[in-house]
Amino acid sequence: MNNPALARYPATRLRRPRMAGWSRRLFAEARLGPDDFIWAIILIEGQNVREPIAAMPGVCRLSIDEAVKAAKHAVSLGIPALALFPYTDANDRTPKGEEALNPDNLMCRAARAIKDAVPEIGLMADVALDPYTDHGHDGLLQDGEILNDQTIDILVQQAIIEAQAGFDIIAPSDMMDGRIGAIRNGLDAKGLHNVQIMAYAAKYASAFYGPYREAIGSAGVLKGDKRTYQMDPANSDEALREVAMDLAEGADSIMIKPGMPYLDIIRRVKDAFQAPTFAFQVSGEYAMIKAAAQNGWLDGERAMIESLISFKRAGANGIVTYFAAEAAEALQR
Ligand code: PBG
């Protein structure tokens, strides 16, 4: 590249290394393997429950015993960690989402059961109030405003009970200003200094979360939208400021979300900070690939692998994805 004269046809033929499979493998710049995945799993109350999610073909809400089986399956595939999210029925939601602070809530019971049965797996917990509020927002709602600082006080408590239940990574997805520093202090004050924080640092107000809101029971519930706290899809410089603040407040790793429409953000963030950077391939991205594949409009397996390796090429260290097990199985073949 420094000397373009060296790269002149016909001495240089860029097709030459593409001619054989062995050579394409040697020349591959990005690699994808099970180590790259955090498997996103939706929990539901009950026993032996695998409840299909209509907008996410192939993904089921899992009761705790089924989630334990999934954890064992993940270990057998070489997947290092699971990210858990709880489904909450509309009737069990409250204005302030108090269930988030119940040490025996679905998330905490699942963490204890999984850690008991499969201690070697990493467990990531979402921190935000949206699975528990009757308005579907990630924070406290007062007179149409999402309260920042009052929400943080609750998120700190939520993070502590999740960490005490056995979660290894606390992943605040709420986008309140200042929550990473507050959560770090709160964890440290309880002696939980080895519990990691993965900040959903640049999280955009996205239509691609649609299927997830069905999955956790927020779909019919959400009042308005999340644009006063999640980022404007038009913005890129602002993502760097979000990431800088979260790293300064003590985040061990940062996440960009959604994934594929924001590959440019992943690259900028990786180049600017060289910090552990993760992508969330969200529910709508999963649904698009599955729906097109079900219609015979594209090759689902190839599209899945291509979408996942694009994150690695863009600079991500790993990917939170609903495809984790399916992709790990495909890569084994
Ligand atoms: C909420 C949260 C969302 C997701 C993870 N945590 C949705 C939202 O902000 O409305 C989305 C995950 C997905 O779409 O797969 N705190």
Side-chain angles (χ1 to χ4, degrees):
M1 269 308 173
N2 293 335
N3 185 353
L6 289 177
R8 221 176 254 166
Y9 169 84
T12 299
R13 289 179 183 267
L14 291 178
R15 290 185 55 199
R16 194 155 35 226
R18 293 178 201 148
M19 288 294 163
W22 62 263
S23 175
R24 289 191 292 271
R25 268 159 46 219
L26 276 178
F27 278 67
E29 297 175 40
R31 308 256 169 215
L32 185 68
D35 287 337
D36 295 317
F37 303 142
I38 298 174
W39 188 7
I41 293 205
I42 313 284
L43 301 168
I44 190 163
E45 294 287 356
Q47 273 275 327
N48 300 315
V49 181
R50 301 183 63 87
E51 189 174 89
I53 300 162
M56 302 179 72
V59 177
C60 290
R61 301 184 187 99
L62 303 181
S63 54
I64 291 177
D65 54 315
E66 291 292 326
V68 168
K69 287 185 205 157
K72 290 179 181 158
H73 187 44
V75 167
S76 76
L77 289 167
I79 296 168
L82 309 181
L84 305 185
F85 303 90
Y87 167 87
T88 318
D89 200 78
N91 299 324
D92 297 331
R93 291 162 172 263
T94 57
K96 293 186 178 171
E98 281 87 353
E99 182 65 7
L101 303 187
N102 173 6
D104 282 317
N105 67 22
L106 180 58
M107 286 281 278
C108 294
R109 278 181 280 124
R112 285 193 291 267
I114 293 171
K115 279 289 174 179
D116 229 33
V118 196
E120 66 270 41
I121 195 124
L123 282 186
M124 180 161 121
D126 210 65
V127 173
L129 299 183
D130 61 312
Y132 308 110
T133 52
D134 63 1
H135 44 72
H137 280 289
D138 294 21
L140 297 178
L141 177 65
Q142 193 179 80
D143 304 326
E145 182 179 340
I146 302 300
L147 302 176
N148 194 88
D149 301 5
Q150 293 87 332
T151 296
I152 289 179
D153 293 340
I154 300 176
L155 298 180
V156 170
Q157 302 310 312
Q158 183 183 16
I160 290 169
I161 67 144
E162 287 175 339
Q164 286 172 338
F167 283 100
D168 306 285
I169 309 176
I170 294 299
S173 68
D174 54 289
M175 289 297 279
M176 298 300 114
D177 286 324
R179 87 279 205 216
I180 300 301
I183 290 172
R184 186 69 273 162
N185 286 339
L187 292 173
D188 289 357
K190 295 281 184 196
L192 298 162
H193 52 270
N194 286 330
V195 173
Q196 299 181 23
I197 297 179
M198 180 184 291
Y200 285 68
K203 176 171 177 181
Y204 289 85
S206 174
F208 292 99
Y209 308 147
Y212 170 88
R213 295 195 185 146
E214 179 208 325
I216 67 157
S218 282
V221 165
L222 179 62
K223 293 202 174 76
D225 60 51
K226 301 191 176 183
R227 281 181 241 204
T228 68
Y229 45 109
Q230 299 179 348
M231 282 181 60
D232 183 342
N235 294 355
S236 172
D237 291 343
E238 188 187 344
L240 299 189
R241 299 180 71 195
E242 285 282 2
V243 168
M245 289 182 75
D246 286 355
L247 289 172
E249 290 174 33
D252 300 282
S253 60
I254 49 89
M255 188 205 287
I256 314 298
K257 180 184 176 193
M260 239 178 10
Y262 297 89
L263 292 177
D264 58 318
I265 308 298
I266 297 172
R267 170 50 64 198
R268 278 194 82 186
V269 163
K270 190 65 181 181
D271 287 348
F273 299 99
Q274 289 91 42
T277 302
F278 290 81
F280 199 138
Q281 181 178 50
V282 301
S283 55
E285 301 174 63
Y286 175 90
M288 283 196 298
I289 292 173
K290 280 290 176 186
Q294 280 190 341
N295 279 295
W297 294 338
L298 49 70
D299 178 331
E301 182 168 315
R302 283 188 56 200
M304 166 180 74
I305 297 297
E306 185 177 333
S307 69
L308 290 166
I309 203 150
S310 73
F311 294 116
K312 297 294 299 290
R313 190 193 65 239
N317 295 78
I319 307 125
V320 183
T321 176
Y322 301 92
F323 277 126
E326 203 181 331
E329 283 160 16
L331 290 168
Q332 273 179 356
R333 290 195 284 273

mmCIF file of all heavy atoms in Angstrom, residues 202 239-240 243 254 256 264-275 277:
data_model
loop_
_atom_site.group_PDB
_atom_site.id
_atom_site.type_symbol
_atom_site.label_atom_id
_atom_site.label_comp_id
_atom_site.label_asym_id
_atom_site.label_seq_id
_atom_site.Cartn_x
_atom_site.Cartn_y
_atom_site.Cartn_z
ATOM 1 N N ALA A 202 -22.315 2.424 23.149
ATOM 2 C CA ALA A 202 -22.975 3.103 22.034
ATOM 3 C C ALA A 202 -24.169 2.257 21.641
ATOM 4 O O ALA A 202 -24.071 1.330 20.832
ATOM 5 C CB ALA A 202 -22.020 3.273 20.867
ATOM 6 N N ALA A 239 -20.667 8.529 19.493
ATOM 7 C CA ALA A 239 -20.372 7.177 19.989
ATOM 8 C C ALA A 239 -18.993 7.138 20.639
ATOM 9 O O ALA A 239 -18.785 6.466 21.655
ATOM 10 C CB ALA A 239 -20.455 6.155 18.853
ATOM 11 N N LEU A 240 -18.037 7.870 20.059
ATOM 12 C CA LEU A 240 -16.690 7.888 20.642
ATOM 13 C C LEU A 240 -16.717 8.539 22.021
ATOM 14 O O LEU A 240 -15.995 8.120 22.936
ATOM 15 C CB LEU A 240 -15.715 8.631 19.725
ATOM 16 C CG LEU A 240 -15.521 8.045 18.321
ATOM 17 C CD1 LEU A 240 -14.370 8.764 17.604
ATOM 18 C CD2 LEU A 240 -15.233 6.557 18.362
ATOM 19 N N VAL A 243 -18.187 6.020 24.480
ATOM 20 C CA VAL A 243 -17.217 4.967 24.805
ATOM 21 C C VAL A 243 -16.129 5.520 25.724
ATOM 22 O O VAL A 243 -15.743 4.886 26.721
ATOM 23 C CB VAL A 243 -16.610 4.378 23.508
ATOM 24 C CG1 VAL A 243 -15.410 3.497 23.834
ATOM 25 C CG2 VAL A 243 -17.666 3.588 22.734
ATOM 26 N N ILE A 254 -16.523 -2.685 26.118
ATOM 27 C CA ILE A 254 -17.648 -1.865 25.664
ATOM 28 C C ILE A 254 -18.345 -2.563 24.501
ATOM 29 O O ILE A 254 -17.769 -3.415 23.820
ATOM 30 C CB ILE A 254 -17.205 -0.431 25.277
ATOM 31 C CG1 ILE A 254 -15.998 -0.435 24.358
ATOM 32 C CG2 ILE A 254 -16.871 0.382 26.516
ATOM 33 C CD1 ILE A 254 -16.304 -0.494 22.946
ATOM 34 N N ILE A 256 -21.109 -2.175 21.090
ATOM 35 C CA ILE A 256 -21.825 -1.385 20.095
ATOM 36 C C ILE A 256 -23.087 -2.169 19.738
ATOM 37 O O ILE A 256 -23.028 -3.374 19.480
ATOM 38 C CB ILE A 256 -20.984 -1.199 18.799
ATOM 39 C CG1 ILE A 256 -19.548 -0.803 19.111
ATOM 40 C CG2 ILE A 256 -21.675 -0.237 17.832
ATOM 41 C CD1 ILE A 256 -19.388 0.476 19.826
ATOM 42 N N ASP A 264 -19.399 0.529 10.986
ATOM 43 C CA ASP A 264 -18.489 1.681 10.941
ATOM 44 C C ASP A 264 -18.158 2.176 12.347
ATOM 45 O O ASP A 264 -17.038 2.641 12.602
ATOM 46 C CB ASP A 264 -19.114 2.812 10.110
ATOM 47 C CG ASP A 264 -20.460 3.271 10.655
ATOM 48 O OD1 ASP A 264 -21.284 2.405 11.047
ATOM 49 O OD2 ASP A 264 -20.698 4.493 10.719
ATOM 50 N N ILE A 265 -19.121 2.069 13.254
ATOM 51 C CA ILE A 265 -18.888 2.525 14.634
ATOM 52 C C ILE A 265 -17.900 1.574 15.321
ATOM 53 O O ILE A 265 -16.992 2.004 16.040
ATOM 54 C CB ILE A 265 -20.215 2.578 15.429
ATOM 55 C CG1 ILE A 265 -21.267 3.392 14.672
ATOM 56 C CG2 ILE A 265 -19.976 3.128 16.824
ATOM 57 C CD1 ILE A 265 -20.918 4.835 14.444
ATOM 58 N N ILE A 266 -18.069 0.275 15.096
ATOM 59 C CA ILE A 266 -17.138 -0.700 15.682
ATOM 60 C C ILE A 266 -15.721 -0.376 15.244
ATOM 61 O O ILE A 266 -14.793 -0.315 16.056
ATOM 62 C CB ILE A 266 -17.501 -2.144 15.253
ATOM 63 C CG1 ILE A 266 -18.884 -2.524 15.781
ATOM 64 C CG2 ILE A 266 -16.443 -3.138 15.733
ATOM 65 C CD1 ILE A 266 -19.402 -3.860 15.250
ATOM 66 N N ARG A 267 -15.537 -0.132 13.956
ATOM 67 C CA ARG A 267 -14.186 0.149 13.458
ATOM 68 C C ARG A 267 -13.620 1.428 14.066
ATOM 69 O O ARG A 267 -12.478 1.464 14.513
ATOM 70 C CB ARG A 267 -14.224 0.215 11.913
ATOM 71 C CG ARG A 267 -12.964 0.732 11.247
ATOM 72 C CD ARG A 267 -11.698 0.037 11.733
ATOM 73 N NE ARG A 267 -11.673 -1.387 11.396
ATOM 74 C CZ ARG A 267 -10.872 -2.276 11.989
ATOM 75 N NH1 ARG A 267 -10.003 -1.908 12.924
ATOM 76 N NH2 ARG A 267 -10.920 -3.547 11.635
ATOM 77 N N ARG A 268 -14.425 2.471 14.106
ATOM 78 C CA ARG A 268 -13.918 3.738 14.681
ATOM 79 C C ARG A 268 -13.552 3.565 16.150
ATOM 80 O O ARG A 268 -12.531 4.071 16.621
ATOM 81 C CB ARG A 268 -14.984 4.839 14.575
ATOM 82 C CG ARG A 268 -15.048 5.515 13.239
ATOM 83 C CD ARG A 268 -15.872 6.791 13.311
ATOM 84 N NE ARG A 268 -15.110 7.934 13.813
ATOM 85 C CZ ARG A 268 -15.635 9.129 14.078
ATOM 86 N NH1 ARG A 268 -16.929 9.340 13.917
ATOM 87 N NH2 ARG A 268 -14.886 10.107 14.509
ATOM 88 N N VAL A 269 -14.405 2.875 16.880
ATOM 89 C CA VAL A 269 -14.168 2.699 18.314
ATOM 90 C C VAL A 269 -12.908 1.863 18.538
ATOM 91 O O VAL A 269 -12.064 2.186 19.386
ATOM 92 C CB VAL A 269 -15.402 2.049 18.979
ATOM 93 C CG1 VAL A 269 -15.072 1.467 20.343
ATOM 94 C CG2 VAL A 269 -16.539 3.070 19.081
ATOM 95 N N LYS A 270 -12.757 0.801 17.759
ATOM 96 C CA LYS A 270 -11.578 -0.061 17.934
ATOM 97 C C LYS A 270 -10.313 0.723 17.623
ATOM 98 O O LYS A 270 -9.323 0.650 18.360
ATOM 99 C CB LYS A 270 -11.700 -1.282 17.024
ATOM 100 C CG LYS A 270 -10.657 -2.339 17.308
ATOM 101 C CD LYS A 270 -10.864 -2.904 18.706
ATOM 102 C CE LYS A 270 -9.836 -3.960 19.052
ATOM 103 N NZ LYS A 270 -10.069 -4.509 20.407
ATOM 104 N N ASP A 271 -10.333 1.481 16.539
ATOM 105 C CA ASP A 271 -9.147 2.250 16.156
ATOM 106 C C ASP A 271 -8.833 3.331 17.189
ATOM 107 O O ASP A 271 -7.676 3.612 17.480
ATOM 108 C CB ASP A 271 -9.353 2.901 14.777
ATOM 109 C CG ASP A 271 -9.278 1.878 13.648
ATOM 110 O OD1 ASP A 271 -8.852 0.730 13.909
ATOM 111 O OD2 ASP A 271 -9.646 2.226 12.507
ATOM 112 N N ALA A 272 -9.872 3.951 17.743
ATOM 113 C CA ALA A 272 -9.647 5.069 18.662
ATOM 114 C C ALA A 272 -9.173 4.607 20.038
ATOM 115 O O ALA A 272 -8.359 5.284 20.664
ATOM 116 C CB ALA A 272 -10.928 5.894 18.803
ATOM 117 N N PHE A 273 -9.669 3.455 20.534
ATOM 118 C CA PHE A 273 -9.415 3.099 21.941
ATOM 119 C C PHE A 273 -8.632 1.798 22.139
ATOM 120 O O PHE A 273 -8.125 1.554 23.230
ATOM 121 C CB PHE A 273 -10.739 2.986 22.708
ATOM 122 C CG PHE A 273 -11.512 4.271 22.737
ATOM 123 C CD1 PHE A 273 -12.572 4.495 21.867
ATOM 124 C CD2 PHE A 273 -11.162 5.279 23.628
ATOM 125 C CE1 PHE A 273 -13.282 5.685 21.887
ATOM 126 C CE2 PHE A 273 -11.863 6.475 23.658
ATOM 127 C CZ PHE A 273 -12.918 6.674 22.779
ATOM 128 N N GLN A 274 -8.570 0.940 21.112
ATOM 129 C CA GLN A 274 -7.930 -0.380 21.280
ATOM 130 C C GLN A 274 -8.406 -1.087 22.540
ATOM 131 O O GLN A 274 -7.642 -1.772 23.222
ATOM 132 C CB GLN A 274 -6.389 -0.251 21.301
ATOM 133 C CG GLN A 274 -5.776 0.102 19.966
ATOM 134 C CD GLN A 274 -5.632 1.613 19.783
ATOM 135 O OE1 GLN A 274 -5.236 2.316 20.704
ATOM 136 N NE2 GLN A 274 -5.948 2.103 18.608
ATOM 137 N N ALA A 275 -9.668 -0.913 22.874
ATOM 138 C CA ALA A 275 -10.224 -1.560 24.072
ATOM 139 C C ALA A 275 -11.011 -2.794 23.640
ATOM 140 O O ALA A 275 -11.420 -2.906 22.486
ATOM 141 C CB ALA A 275 -11.149 -0.589 24.799
ATOM 142 N N THR A 277 -13.800 -4.761 22.547
ATOM 143 C CA THR A 277 -14.978 -4.190 21.888
ATOM 144 C C THR A 277 -15.890 -5.314 21.416
ATOM 145 O O THR A 277 -15.429 -6.225 20.718
ATOM 146 C CB THR A 277 -14.526 -3.338 20.675
ATOM 147 O OG1 THR A 277 -13.641 -2.323 21.146
ATOM 148 C CG2 THR A 277 -15.708 -2.705 19.957
#
